[in-house]
């Protein structure tokens, strides 16, 4: 045998072929010949390597170095560096998502290292068209043992002992199926391999056939010996040309080697196989429909009994197993059933192969022990969700399966648990979906698939799937009505109970599972005409506007920037947002997460464009609005929710008085956000515009202290309670009451209320500060402390990607020199003479997933350490202070220290006179959601008053008509989002000057031109 110094194993699966591996391999061979290395280095095309997302792939042996995403143009450099100079080409190594370190070895990559290969044991290692390489890896040894040393009954018993269950979907015990067939009388019996694999997103069987076809042939021969068969069929869809080619090569080689056909291995046992190509009908994945198709008839299911083990193909006893099931058999016989049963769960033995696809970083083929948790598959092996998106659900079992949502990431993936959660194992398709997927649309997609693929033989499936699809389509188009959900559930039950075959019986599963876990999304589609994922386009004008809590017309003002009409753009913003300058600086810009431009390169910088308009547009004059209503309204709290409500009510003719406890209005905008993010002059201008309408704002007036609750109750007809959440959540650790321990909110309020005292040194944090928490308040407190001269360390109990703070704020903090320690939790505050001197901490490791999809931190015993600091700022959360509300007021406060509100009138409390909103109802939230709450409350209060008075609903005055230009570039070129200019970190860390400088005119127009105008109606 010729010896080579290196073997280059080139992935030759369909996925890599599609990525250019054929051309790359050709270039590699040519380059090796050109460099006279062909006699030293052998190139081998293997089957699917499994890591489909990274193809084309080369694995170099004996080193085990793996190169990924190789292009033809990379080949000369690769050969030069690695095979001539002996220096591996690091830029082609694998890099984990979100990390900079590159990994050279295949077995060091979590995608490979965390798998347990049995079915896929030969993947990427052998040439699938060379039987000698398969035999060298113990190929056909199990078959030889079965034919020469075992009886049919012993084979069946060994498979029964293994606990192997059918991997095609139903999970029926394989050994039991074989036992039934072996005991059925008759001289003619058939062994059938189901390689139809019609599930969307499934490619397990195809990959096995392309990488290791002999494993399937070996399993079929053993099955034939077990039941007494002499002929078998592999039913493979014609859309798998590479799999069919390699199967034909493998069958030919097996025949030539005496491993298939007459007198196999001289044992006198005869068995041969032929391939039957299916036309792609999904229903032919059902066993009786598959057999009907082989018989030359239209593929339609047959009633059972009789079952195929008694009367299957041509009414003869038949055994049908899928590709993965048969690929297990050779190793089970060779190593024993107990070896196979040593992994898995009590009732689900062995491993399972999954085609991991969808919204996951590491798309590919995964083999794990039964019982592996869903989170392990998606995050540890799959690398998590791309783009920092949140995991929403995984569709398991294809169109016959169901979705498993985020709260079940800790669920073990086995037959029993998956069924309990409303899905099925299926053949192994695992489609990951992020937060941008709509549960209703997903159910509609799978129902559409099932309807199209229904053979039409039975009425429940033929008519029922069509009727369910009609209802789902109607809901997605905004035409759903009350009772549709219940009707879907009722129809699903009927179809499951009455359809002829398993495919029809399981067709409603995606609908039932999405209703089970995402019923609120169905209700939002029907009642609110809202699709939170911004997928169902009939429900909205554009995804960004639909996602914005106040429905800002983003495409309109973006188009007006491009047209250089900033005054009109400002007017468009003011229609829905009284605080555009504020939101241009501190909004969490959820609208950008749904921007379609992000699918091409990066989302449009909607937030920055909003700021550009408010910074540069001339502001229209604000005139007082006359009081036309007799009802007097009080608003408690001058934050964004309270001021927005007051503004809207003033515009409707009400006399509104706002009571604010603090010296200036603005709530957390004024007292919780530092001026380097939101200059006070910017905020004051927008608050002054609300005053000019006629709204009275009384500061330094706490209800219940400076003005009695009873007086407010007697003087005003209706009251809107929007006090915000201005109280820091306590850590609950020893020493928390020592001097030098601040709450995040309290520290920021103190600084903002006495800037001169802090800047002059009258007040001081000391030289070392620890900030505990990972939200925006924690980052704000840390950056403020750093500007006051302290060395700041943030302690956070999870990882960076888990921090709820805005990513850009975290990055800014890092640039300014703030140190962030992850997986650290405070244990107690250490003090001396009544003052804090340090914080004792405990290191954490990540455990199971919580309901949000983040891994829970778990304490590491014995990892305690003390961080010496002068001040501790605890910013782990905020709660409203509702102590001003008397118990006898009739206004109920719940266990979360928030107001309870009604279901029918969203902002009305348990007392009809009092309404509430913002953080005092939801808990700490965002500026834009507070504004939305204010809008909603004004609508509720005015609507309640008019309904009580028997008046018609308020009709807003006619607005100025603003022409919105429609200009879209004929060709869209990839172009990243325009960078926001900022002060240099060295300069800004010494002062409170606004960090972000804003776009220049040319930047803004260029950025606005990136908008794809999703609002266009065609």
């Amino acid at each position: 045998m010729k010896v080579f110094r290196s073997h280059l194993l080139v992935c030759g699966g369909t996925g890599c072929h599609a990525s250019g591996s054929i051309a790359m391999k050709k270039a590699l061979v040519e380059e090796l010949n050109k460099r006279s290395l062909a006699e030293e280095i052998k190139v081998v095309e293997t089957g699917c390597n499994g890591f489909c997302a990274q193809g084309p792939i080369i694995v170099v042996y004996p080193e085990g170095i793996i190169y990924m995403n190789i292009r033809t143009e990379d080949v000369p450099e690769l050969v030069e560096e690695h095979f001539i100079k002996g220096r591996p080409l690091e830029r082609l190594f694998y890099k984990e998502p979100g990390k900079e370190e590159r990994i050279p070895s295949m077995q060091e990559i979590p995608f490979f290292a965390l798998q347990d290969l049995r079915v896929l044991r030969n993947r990427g290692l052998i040439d699938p068209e060379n039987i000698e390489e398969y035999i060298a890896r113990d190929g056909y040894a199990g078959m030889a043992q079965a034919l020469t040393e075992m009886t049919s009954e012993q084979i069946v018993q060994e498979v029964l002992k293994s606990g192997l269950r059918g991997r095609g979907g139903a999970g029926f015990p394989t050994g039991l199926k074989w036992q039934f067939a072996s005991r059925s009388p008759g001289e003619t019996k058939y062994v059938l391999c189901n390689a139809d694999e019609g599930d969307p997103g499934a490619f397990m069987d195809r990959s096995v056939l392309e990488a290791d076809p002999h494993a399937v042939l070996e399993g079929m021969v053993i099955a034939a010996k077990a039941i007494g068969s002499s002929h078998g069929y592999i039913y493979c869809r014609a859309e798998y040309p590479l799999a069919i080619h390699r199967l034909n090569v493998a069958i030919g080689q097996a025949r030539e080697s005496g491993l298939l056909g007459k007198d196999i291995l001289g044992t006198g046992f005869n068995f041969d196989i032929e391939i039957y190509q299916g036309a792609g009908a999904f229903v032919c994945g059902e066993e009786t429909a598959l057999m009907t198709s082989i018989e030359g008839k239209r593929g339609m299911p047959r009633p059972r009994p009789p079952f195929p083990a008694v009367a299957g193909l041509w009414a003869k006893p038949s055994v049908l197993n899928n590709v993965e099931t048969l690929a297990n058999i050779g190793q089970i016989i060779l190593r024993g059933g107990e070896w196979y049963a040593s992994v898995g769960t009590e009732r689900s033995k062995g491993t399972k192969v999954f085609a991991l696809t969808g919204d996951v970083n590491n798309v590919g083929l995964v083999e794990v022990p039964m019982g592996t948790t869903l989170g392990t598959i998606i995050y540890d092996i799959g690398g998590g969700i791309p783009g920092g998106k949140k995991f929403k659900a995984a569709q398991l079992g294809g169109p016959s399966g169901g979705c498993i949502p985020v709260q079940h990431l800790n669920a073990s993936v086995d037959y029993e648990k998956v069924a309990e959660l409303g899905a099925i194992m299926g053949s192994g398709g695992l489609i990951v979906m992020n937060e941008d997927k709509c549960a209703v649309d997903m159910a509609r997609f799978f129902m559409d698939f099932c309807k199209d693929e229904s053979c039409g033989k039975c009425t429940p499936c033929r008519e029922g799937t069509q009727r369910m699809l009609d209802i789902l389509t109607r809901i997605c188009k905004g035409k759903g009505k009350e009772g549709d959900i219940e009707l879907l559930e009722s129809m699903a039950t009927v179809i499951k109970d009455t359809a002829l075959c398993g495919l029809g019986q399981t067709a409603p599963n995606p609908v039932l599972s999405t209703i089970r876990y995402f019923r609120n999304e169905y209700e939002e589609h029907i009642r609110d005409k809202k699709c939170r994922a911004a997928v169902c386009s009939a429900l909205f004008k554009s995804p960004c506007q639909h996602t914005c809590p106040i429905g800002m017309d983003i495409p309109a003002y973006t188009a007006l920037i491009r047209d250089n009409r900033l005054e009109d753009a400002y007017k468009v913003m003011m229609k829905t947002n009284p605080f555009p300058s504020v939101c241009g600086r501190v909004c969490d810009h959820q609208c950008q997460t749904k921007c379609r431009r992000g699918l091409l390169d990066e989302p449009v910088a909607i937030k920055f464009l909003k700021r550009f308009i408010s910074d540069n547009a001339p502001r229209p004059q604000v005139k007082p609005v006359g009081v036309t209503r007799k009802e007097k309204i009080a608003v408690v709290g001058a934050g964004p929710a309270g001021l927005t409500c007051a503004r809207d009510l003033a515009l409707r003719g009400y006399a509104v008085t706002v009571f604010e406890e603090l010296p200036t209005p603005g709530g957390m905008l004024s007292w919780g956000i530092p001026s380097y993010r939101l200059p006070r002059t910017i905020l004051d201008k927008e608050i002054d515009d609300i005053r000019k309408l006629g709204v009275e704002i009384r500061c330094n007036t706490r209800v219940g202290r400076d003005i009695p609750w009873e007086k407010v109750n007697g003087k005003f007809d209706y009251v809107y309670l929007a006090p915000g959440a201005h109280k820091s959540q306590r850590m609950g650790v020893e020493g928390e009451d020592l001097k030098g321990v601040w709450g995040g909110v309290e520290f920021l309020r103190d600084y903002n209320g006495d800037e001169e005292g802090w800047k002059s040194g009258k007040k001081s944090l000391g030289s070392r500060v620890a900030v505990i928490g990972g939200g925006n308040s924690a980052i704000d407190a840390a950056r403020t402390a750093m500007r006051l001269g302290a060395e700041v360390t943030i302690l956070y109990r999870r990882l960076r990607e888990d921090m709820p703070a805005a990513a850009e704020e975290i990055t800014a903090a890092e640039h300014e020199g703030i140190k962030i320690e992850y997986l650290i939790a405070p244990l107690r505050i250490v003090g001396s003479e009544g003052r804090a001197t340090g914080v004792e901490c405990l290191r954490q490791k990540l455990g199971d997933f919580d309901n949000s999809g983040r891994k829970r931190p778990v304490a590491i015993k014995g990892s305690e350490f003390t961080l010496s600091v002068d001040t501790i700022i605890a910013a782990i959360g905020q709660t409203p202070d509702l102590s001003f509300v008397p118990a006898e007021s009739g206004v109920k406060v719940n266990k979360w220290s928030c107001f309870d509100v009604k279901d029918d009138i969203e902002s009305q409390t348990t007392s009809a006179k009092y309404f509430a909103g913002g953080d005092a109802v939801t808990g700490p939230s965002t500026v834009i959601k507070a504004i939305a709450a204010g809008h909603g409350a004004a609508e509720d209060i005015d609507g309640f008053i008019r309904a009580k008075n028997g008046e018609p609903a308020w009709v807003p005055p006619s607005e100025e008509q603003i022409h919105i230009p429609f200009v879209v570039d004929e060709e869209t070129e990839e172009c990243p989002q325009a960078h926001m200019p900022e002060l240099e970190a060295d300069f800004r860390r010494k002062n409170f000057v606004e960090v972000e400088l804003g776009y220049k005119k040319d930047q803004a127009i260029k950025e606005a031109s990136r908008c794809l105008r999703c609002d266009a109606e065609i």
Side-chain angles (χ1 to χ4, degrees), residues 104 170 176 352 568 680 826 844 871 931 948 955 972:
L176 194 57
K352 181 73 189 80
D568 285 340
R680 296 295 167 260
Q844 310 284 298
T871 301
I931 295 171
K948 185 177 179 181
V955 178
T972 301

Side-chain angles (χ1 to χ4, degrees), residues 497-548:
D497 290 343
T498 59
L500 174 62
C501 76
L503 299 182
Q505 293 161 10
T506 55
N509 280 352
V511 179
L512 290 174
S513 66
T514 50
I515 291 176
R516 175 179 176 180
Y517 296 116
F518 301 104
R519 193 182 193 96
N520 56 339
E521 290 195 28
Y522 280 83
E523 292 170 346
E524 288 171 356
H525 279 67
I526 293 169
R527 298 170 186 170
D528 305 328
K529 310 304 177 189
K530 183 175 181 64
C531 174
R532 65 173 61 186
V535 169
C536 301
S537 57
L539 301 180
F540 52 80
K541 179 180 176 181
S542 65
C544 54
Q545 182 175 0
H546 189 64
T547 304
C548 175

Side-chain angles (χ1 to χ4, degrees), residues 71 94 151 367 485 519 580 771 791 797 853 869 893 906:
R71 301 292 171 252
Y94 172 72
T151 65
E367 185 174 5
I485 301 174
R519 193 182 193 96
V771 177
E791 178 185 312
R797 66 195 189 112
V869 293
V893 176
E906 291 185 2

Side-chain angles (χ1 to χ4, degrees), residues 420-657:
E420 178 188 321
L421 295 176
I424 63 172
M425 186 74 73
S427 56
L430 202 165
I431 304 173
V432 180
M433 292 168 285
N434 68 18
E435 59 192 306
D436 292 337
K437 299 298 181 290
C438 169
V440 185
D441 182 70
M442 181 182 69
R444 183 206 57 77
F445 169 82
F446 284 116
M447 186 53 65
D448 188 31
F449 179 89
C450 290
K451 185 269 297 182
D452 283 346
E453 295 295 337
S454 173
C455 72
K457 183 172 184 177
C458 73
T459 303
C461 182
R462 182 184 67 243
E463 302 299 330
T465 54
Q466 178 64 64
R467 180 73 179 111
M468 290 184 73
L469 176 62
D470 291 343
I471 297 171
L472 290 165
T473 301
R474 182 157 45 77
I475 294 173
C476 289
K477 288 184 176 180
K479 298 177 181 178
K481 57 188 180 183
E482 292 293 338
D484 277 349
I485 301 174
E486 292 75 17
L487 182 56
L488 285 170
E489 290 175 317
S490 175
M491 295 185 68
T493 301
V494 172
I495 294 172
K496 285 175 72 72
D497 290 343
T498 59
L500 174 62
C501 76
L503 299 182
Q505 293 161 10
T506 55
N509 280 352
V511 179
L512 290 174
S513 66
T514 50
I515 291 176
R516 175 179 176 180
Y517 296 116
F518 301 104
R519 193 182 193 96
N520 56 339
E521 290 195 28
Y522 280 83
E523 292 170 346
E524 288 171 356
H525 279 67
I526 293 169
R527 298 170 186 170
D528 305 328
K529 310 304 177 189
K530 183 175 181 64
C531 174
R532 65 173 61 186
V535 169
C536 301
S537 57
L539 301 180
F540 52 80
K541 179 180 176 181
S542 65
C544 54
Q545 182 175 0
H546 189 64
T547 304
C548 175
I550 60 174
M552 292 192 75
D553 195 344
I554 296 163
Y557 69 67
T558 303
L560 289 166
I561 293 175
R562 184 172 185 173
D563 204 33
N564 198 26
R565 291 164 53 197
L566 299 189
E567 184 174 3
D568 285 340
Y570 188 83
K571 291 176 181 177
V572 168
M573 293 198 303
M574 287 298 295
K575 288 180 180 181
T576 53
N577 192 344
F579 297 100
S581 299
V582 169
C583 289
R585 288 166 166 82
V586 299
C587 184
D588 67 332
H589 53 77
Q590 286 299 305
C591 51
Q592 290 180 204
T593 66
K594 298 295 189 288
C595 176
R596 295 286 189 260
R597 180 75 195 214
L599 300 176
L600 174 64
D601 38 48
E602 291 182 320
V604 174
I606 297 169
K607 171 183 167 184
F608 298 155
L609 292 178
K610 191 184 299 134
R611 171 178 170 173
F612 172 76
I613 297 168
S614 60
D615 282 357
N616 295 279
R619 298 196 175 204
Q621 184 180 358
V622 179
K623 298 179 181 179
V625 178
V627 175
T628 60
R629 302 288 308 180
K630 64 180 180 179
E631 296 86 2
K632 294 181 179 180
I633 313 294
V635 174
V636 179
L643 291 175
T644 300
C645 179
R647 172 184 180 270
D648 288 3
L649 289 170
L651 290 171
R652 296 180 186 221
Y654 292 93
V656 185
T657 302

Side-chain angles (χ1 to χ4, degrees), residues 75 127 154 195 247 287 349 509 633 709 718 754 804 912 924 1009 1015:
V75 169
D127 179 352
Q154 287 174 326
L247 273 173
E287 60 179 0
K349 303 296 186 182
N509 280 352
I633 313 294
W709 174 275
Y718 294 92
D754 188 14
S1009 299
D1015 60 318

Side-chain angles (χ1 to χ4, degrees), residues 48 88 92 164 169 192 283 285 302 403 409 422-423 442 535 554 601 641 765 837 894 931-932 947 953 957 964 1011:
C48 178
L92 295 178
L164 175 65
L192 309 174
V283 73
R302 300 196 289 248
C403 69
L409 279 170
M442 181 182 69
V535 169
I554 296 163
D601 38 48
L765 296 172
T837 58
N894 59 36
I931 295 171
I964 308 300
C1011 177

